[in-house]
Amino acid sequence: DTEGLLRIKEENQKHYRRAQRHQEKKEKIQRHNRKLGDLVEKKTYDLKTQYEHLANLRRTHILELTSVIFPIEEVKTSMRDPADVSSESDNAMTSSTVSKLAEARRTTYLSGRWVCDDHNGDTSISITGPWIILPNNGDYSAYYNWVEEKKTTQGPDMEHNNPAHTISAALCYATQLVNTLSLILDVNLPKKLCNRQVKTQQGNHEFCGENLSRHRFTRAVKKLNANILHLCFSQHVNLDLLHPLHTLRNLMYLVSPDTENLGR
């Protein structure tokens, strides 16, 4: 029994020495982990600082781009509410008629259905200049209506102020701006739209080439609106400000200096 007790004591001493070595290893690993944690925290802070610096650079480039080359502004139109004009001409007009006229003014027939637009008739959005504007409510029917008329009318086009021309130019500039923003922000666009003045395998570039049919024009506009909304989502633009049909207005909110996360 005494010999067995001595053997057990020797084994216990071996286990104790091994436990001490394991404890030293544990403390060494803990010190290493703390060093790695401090290093990761420092690297994370440096990365966050670099992201903020990169975001500021992107924001600066975008604000320069949209102030010098592609300024987007809200253009006021000096149109009076028909309800106000009618009430001035006829004092006996009932309030129900006035409200119906005001409601009719805020309603637009768009793509086969009536839609409500509070900004209708009040403002338009311009790009690169006050003469290149888009209807605020997203109704671009003037373009394909003009294309249909051109098919039946022979002779040169002398209507330099035709709204179809300004719509085409504004959408072309908007496409070019969106493609440039995607490069600056490093955001891949969900839809491919070409704005180069060359012919591709699929045909001319959208909007600024040959006259598009209603189907091709509507399809290109939907792709452009999808790209703009995608950029707005990536920069955390307030969703309450966005509307799927308001092409330039959504773009204006995206590049606004008030957009806090622009450049992220």
Side-chain angles (χ1 to χ4, degrees), residues 81-228:
D81 196 313
D84 297 337
V85 178
S86 300
S87 60
E88 291 177 1
S89 60
D90 186 3
N91 295 327
M93 179 177 292
T94 62
S95 59
S96 61
T97 305
V98 174
S99 61
K100 288 180 180 179
L101 283 174
E103 180 181 359
R105 178 175 172 269
R106 294 190 297 268
T107 308
T108 303
Y109 189 74
L110 178 59
S111 300
R113 62 190 181 92
W114 292 97
V115 296
C116 182
D117 180 16
D118 292 336
H119 299 284
N120 183 22
D122 293 334
T123 61
S124 296
I125 309 298
S126 68
I127 182 170
T128 71
W131 54 89
I132 301 180
I133 61 176
L134 282 183
N136 183 68
N137 57 3
D139 182 10
Y140 307 143
S141 57
Y143 178 86
Y144 41 77
N145 289 339
W146 172 75
V147 172
E148 293 296 328
E149 293 177 1
K150 287 289 292 182
K151 291 181 180 179
T152 59
T153 305
Q154 301 296 329
D157 180 20
M158 301 301 293
E159 300 180 13
H160 300 290
N161 295 325
N162 193 310
H165 295 164
T166 59
I167 290 175
S168 177
L171 292 174
C172 183
Y173 285 133
T175 302
Q176 187 175 1
L177 175 57
V178 168
N179 290 340
T180 306
L181 290 176
S182 70
L183 295 177
I184 296 177
L185 296 172
D186 194 24
V187 176
N188 293 327
L189 298 176
K191 305 295 182 179
K192 184 177 181 180
L193 276 177
C194 181
N195 61 275
R196 295 174 297 169
Q197 304 229 355
V198 296
K199 286 189 176 181
T200 61
Q201 294 179 353
Q202 291 79 17
N204 289 332
H205 58 295
E206 277 81 3
F207 303 124
C208 285
E210 61 186 15
N211 296 331
L212 301 178
S213 64
R214 178 168 184 169
H215 173 73
R216 289 182 58 193
F217 179 83
T218 304
R219 182 172 177 268
V221 170
K222 289 181 178 179
K223 291 166 66 176
L224 175 60
N225 287 335
N227 287 342
I228 294 175

